[in-house]
Amino acid sequence: MADELNERRNFIKRAGIAATVVAGSVVATAATMENEHRGGGSNVGNGVVTGKAKKKEILYKKTAAWSEFYSAAK
C-alpha cells in the first residue's frame, strides 16, 4: 500500500515537472516570436486584418444550381 502511494506521488511529481518545462518553453517561444501588428489597434492596413495565404480566394463556382439560386434571389 505504501509502495503504491509512493509510486503515485512520484508520478505526480514527474508530471508536474514536465508540465512546468512545457509551459516554460511555450512562454520562451512566445517571447522570442516577432509581433505582427494587425487589426483594429494598428496603423498598418487601416484596421483590416489580412492573411498570409498564397491561395487565390474563390467565392463561388458558376454552376447550374448557383445560377438558379441567383436568378431567384434577384
Side-chain angles (χ1 to χ4, degrees):
M1 177 85 175
D3 206 24
E4 185 179 324
L5 211 54
N6 277 337
E7 284 182 30
R8 288 182 182 176
R9 287 181 181 149
N10 286 334
F11 172 76
I12 291 173
K13 284 181 189 177
R14 287 191 304 259
I17 291 169
T20 304
V21 168
V22 168
S25 65
V26 167
V27 168
T29 303
T32 59
M33 289 183 68
E34 186 176 314
N35 270 345
E36 293 184 17
H37 301 289
R38 302 185 303 175
S42 175
N43 293 333
V44 179
N46 200 20
V48 177
V49 178
T50 57
K52 296 180 180 180
K54 304 276 191 243
K55 294 180 182 178
K56 180 181 175 187
E57 183 178 6
I58 300 173
L59 298 177
Y60 70 94
K61 292 183 180 179
K62 190 160 186 153
T63 60
W66 172 255
S67 297
E68 182 182 338
F69 167 78
Y70 190 69
S71 64
K74 283 186 179 177

